[in-house]
Amino acid sequence: MSPPILSVSAVTKTYKTGFTALLAVDLEIARGEIFALLGPNGAGKTTLISIICGTVTMTSGQVLVDGHDTQSAYRAARSMIGLVPQEIALDIFATVWNTVSFSRGLFGKPPNPAYIESLLRDLSLWDKRDSRVIELSGGMKRRVMIAKALSHEPDLLFLDEPTAGVDVALRRDMWALVRRLRDQGVTMILTTHYIEEAEEMADRVGVIDGGRLLLVEGTAQLMRKLGKRRLTLALQQPLAAIPPELADWPVELAADGQELVYSFDANAEDTGIPALLRLLCENGIDFKDLDTSRTSLEDIFVRLVERAA
Amino acid sequence: MSAPSLNVHGIWAIYRAEMARMMRTMLQSVATPVITTALYFVVFGGAIGSRIQSVDGVDYGAFIVPGLIMLSLLTQSISNASIGIYFPKFTKTIFEILSAPLSFGEAVIAYVGAAATKSILLALIILATATAFVPVHIQHPVWMVAFLVLTAITFSLFGFIVGIWAENFEQLAIIPSLVVTPLTFLGGAFYSIEMLPQPWRTISLLNPVVYLVSGFRWSFYGSGDVGVAASLGFTALFMAACLAVLWWIFRTGYRLKP
């Protein structure tokens, strides 16, 4: 195991107003992984990212980027990090080429026009390289934000709500880019409200709420551990109540008694489905259709946050 | 791979971007002071100055040249540097500066260096304009440049502080217009403070701008209201005070980092 590229220990942030945005957060990110940070608005996602990137000062704790302390060795730490913030913030009078080159210089890298060119081509910005930012559409501006964050070839990329308010084409491009960067070995930490994206893209998921990291788990393990499956049977005849024969089963009625829903553990050896179907047959409950579904990360997330509240 | 101990590329990137920003408004920033200076010469040099005897043995039109240059140098240094750092705060692009592997000192060097460069260029343009109206004679050119550079840097540092402190455009404009311009006008730009009746002459000695104008005028004509050592000493003192405030801003993250 190589050492983690990011190690956050006991990071706490209390703002001057007395509001505690983060409480003793611990987190380790392995090199090359994609980590999704989920949480409702105001949970502390952006504060955590801002502390790691150095735009917010932590009250206590320590952050190491590839072993470099973000306070005592901030140069080494920060030169490895790229940040795409939630809000678009650009010098609107600068040209695309200039603002992206500016970012590269700012992060201490010598000019590399060939790299900037390939970056702009990758992000479909090459045709716009001489346009001023003010002339670009919102989606193009967001691409510029990403180009700036990647301009110095960071090892660790933060994407704060990268797909919020983004059209379908750009979102698809964005995820293609994330995959490409992953192939190049870039570690990515993203926050998103689109839970299905985290489920699909992230290797691991962290759920944060009220400044506490409630859970960090591999996406697949999390799905298996907390995932429930459901069998929905569309009945021939609606039922008014659960028949006494089924009283011991975790079933409930839905759609005014038209449907019978059976929840079961997604990992269990024995799903219980054959036994249930036999029982229904014996009791003369006929069904015309059946469907199974798996709980999404969204359901898990909602349950966790509710439990914490 | 160890990071370099000085982020030269970072300083250069900011310096260049700042100069580019200033060049975009070059017409406005050059035309305004040149026209203003020309107007001063017409009014004070031509209309009023023709009735004034020479001051300290210097023709009045020529006498006001150092003061006029100082007036522009101070206001331009402050406004260039304050807008330079205030604008990224306003557009939120400051996040990039704060997250860069750039020390606070390096950011100050880049922003203040660019602001001072521009105001020095402007001062030289005004000087060139002045020579078209009056015969200007520079006795101590090296000292003249030294005062120019020192003052530009000092007041760009001050402007940088103003830009960090300001939370809106009104606050940004208030220091130059409400503090610096009056102090400059009352600082002996258009007269020798010897011409003032008491107690105003003594009170004027509390005005920091008197020392700047006086020292600068000394470099032109060999005489000033206060000794050249006092002028230099004051400029150095004010620069030290600005650096101390900046050090405190850096330590506390005042108005930059929550």
Side-chain angles (χ1 to χ4, degrees):
Chain A
M1 270 296 281
S2 60
I5 189 153
L6 176 69
S7 154
V8 173
S9 21
V11 166
T12 295
K13 175 62 184 177
T14 306
Y15 284 102
K16 283 202 187 78
T17 54
F19 172 68
T20 298
L22 289 177
L23 199 65
V25 170
D26 293 303
L27 180 63
E28 283 203 349
I29 303 293
R31 198 174 297 273
E33 80 171 319
I34 299 183
F35 185 83
L37 200 54
L38 301 177
N41 290 328
K45 302 186 294 285
T46 301
T47 301
L48 180 59
I49 289 182
S50 303
I51 284 175
I52 297 166
C53 295
T55 59
V56 168
T57 331
M58 64 185 117
T59 309
S60 61
Q62 190 186 40
V63 177
L64 300 177
V65 177
D66 200 24
H68 306 291
D69 187 298
T70 54
Q71 286 180 315
S72 61
Y74 69 93
R75 273 187 212 274
R78 290 185 192 173
S79 56
M80 300 183 72
I81 297 178
L83 166 64
V84 184
Q86 210 168 323
E87 274 180 85
I88 292 174
L90 292 163
D91 177 359
I92 54 172
F93 300 112
T95 64
V96 170
W97 178 272
N98 285 348
T99 196
V100 174
S101 305
F102 168 81
S103 299
R104 183 176 171 89
L106 196 60
F107 277 75
K109 288 276 167 74
N112 184 346
Y115 174 74
I116 303 284
E117 177 176 340
S118 74
L119 187 59
L120 294 186
R121 285 191 192 279
D122 276 355
L123 287 160
S124 315
L125 283 169
W126 182 242
D127 295 339
K128 301 278 183 191
R129 63 190 178 279
D130 294 323
S131 301
R132 294 192 304 163
V133 171
I134 195 170
E135 298 158 16
L136 302 180
S137 67
M140 282 292 176
K141 284 187 186 138
R142 205 169 267 279
R143 288 170 196 260
V144 175
M145 294 294 291
I146 296 170
K148 281 167 78 75
L150 292 173
S151 66
H152 61 282
E153 302 158 72
D155 298 280
L156 179 59
L157 181 68
F158 288 89
L159 297 155
D160 198 358
E161 303 278 351
T163 51
V166 153
D167 69 11
V168 179
L170 178 53
R171 192 184 307 175
R172 217 168 28 223
D173 281 8
M174 203 88 90
W175 292 119
L177 177 77
V178 168
R179 286 195 191 92
R180 212 157 54 229
L181 289 171
R182 190 230 299 263
D183 294 342
Q184 289 165 18
V186 177
T187 309
M188 275 165 285
I189 297 178
L190 53 99
T191 68
T192 178
H193 278 152
Y194 299 100
I195 294 176
E196 66 276 19
E197 286 179 345
E199 189 172 338
E200 193 189 337
M201 298 298 308
D203 303 310
R204 285 196 307 155
V205 172
V207 176
I208 189 168
D209 193 38
R212 290 168 189 273
L213 203 50
L214 301 177
L215 163 143
V216 175
E217 188 86 68
T219 315
Q221 288 92 309
L222 183 65
M223 297 303 298
R224 245 180 284 135
K225 191 152 114 192
L226 290 173
K228 289 267 185 208
R229 282 177 66 194
R230 280 201 285 202
L231 172 71
T232 306
L233 297 164
L235 303 174
Q236 290 283 12
Q237 308 287 328
L239 288 174
I242 302 279
E245 296 82 2
L246 296 178
D248 295 338
W249 290 75
V251 291
E252 46 195 279
L253 290 171
D256 292 331
Q258 307 269 4
E259 289 176 1
L260 188 70
V261 180
Y262 166 55
S263 302
F264 58 99
D265 191 339
N267 317 309
E269 289 283 309
D270 176 18
T271 59
I273 292 175
L276 176 68
L277 294 186
R278 261 197 309 278
L279 195 62
L280 292 178
C281 201
E282 284 162 13
N283 288 281
I285 303 171
D286 292 334
F287 53 92
K288 51 188 176 189
D289 197 6
L290 61 83
D291 187 30
T292 64
S293 63
R294 185 183 282 271
T295 351
S296 71
L297 195 49
E298 186 159 355
D299 300 327
I300 297 170
F301 170 64
V302 168
R303 214 182 306 152
L304 265 172
V305 171
E306 275 171 359
R307 201 195 302 158
Chain B
M1 184 198 80
S2 70
S5 53
L6 186 71
N7 186 349
V8 179
H9 292 294
I11 297 173
W12 183 233
I14 294 179
Y15 184 87
R16 266 189 27 179
E18 277 300 288
M19 291 309 284
R21 184 179 63 78
M22 291 165 183
M23 290 304 161
R24 286 199 292 261
T25 55
M26 203 56 190
L27 186 69
Q28 175 206 331
S29 39
V30 172
T32 311
V34 168
I35 291 172
T36 314
T37 311
L39 288 174
Y40 278 123
F41 281 120
V42 171
V43 175
F44 289 102
I48 298 174
S50 59
R51 315 206 166 191
I52 298 178
Q53 300 298 312
S54 61
V55 183
D56 290 347
V58 180
D59 175 63
Y60 185 70
F63 175 84
I64 63 171
V65 171
L68 279 181
I69 294 175
M70 257 314 154
L71 179 67
S72 288
L73 194 68
L74 296 186
T75 47
Q76 287 295 318
S77 294
I78 293 173
S79 74
N80 289 339
S82 60
I83 292 172
I85 189 66
Y86 177 76
F87 207 63
K89 270 184 15 176
F90 178 69
T91 58
K92 306 240 169 83
T93 51
I94 188 106
F95 88 88
E96 204 179 9
I97 311 288
L98 294 176
S99 66
L102 189 81
S103 72
F104 186 71
E106 288 164 348
V108 171
I109 289 171
Y111 279 106
V112 168
T117 306
K118 191 197 168 198
S119 55
I120 289 169
L121 284 178
L122 210 72
L124 295 176
I125 291 172
I126 292 172
L127 180 61
T129 312
T131 57
F133 290 87
V134 289
V136 178
H137 174 73
I138 303 170
Q139 271 190 18
H140 309 287
V142 175
W143 281 106
M144 193 278 278
V145 172
F147 269 111
L148 205 62
V149 172
L150 258 181
T151 309
I153 291 175
T154 304
F155 280 81
S156 295
L157 285 170
F158 179 64
F160 191 80
I161 295 170
V162 172
I164 288 177
W165 163 79
E167 287 180 310
N168 51 53
F169 279 101
E170 196 194 0
Q171 291 182 345
L172 197 63
I174 219 164
I175 297 283
S177 61
L178 278 186
V179 181
V180 177
T181 306
L183 283 182
T184 316
F185 272 89
L186 300 175
F190 300 106
Y191 53 84
S192 164
I193 58 167
E194 307 244 315
M195 293 157 84
L196 288 175
Q198 281 292 11
W200 297 110
R201 195 189 306 173
T202 310
I203 292 173
S204 286
L205 291 177
L206 296 174
N207 180 354
V209 179
V210 165
Y211 296 85
L212 299 171
V213 171
S214 169
F216 198 49
R217 188 181 292 134
W218 170 83
S219 71
F220 278 71
Y221 307 122
S223 68
D225 291 325
V226 294
V228 66
S231 293
L232 266 180
F234 172 77
T235 314
L237 196 72
F238 193 60
M239 185 188 264
C242 290
L243 288 172
V245 173
L246 280 170
W247 175 247
W248 174 80
I249 289 174
F250 165 66
R251 297 292 300 188
T252 59
Y254 172 76
R255 290 202 175 165
L256 284 176
K257 287 189 193 189

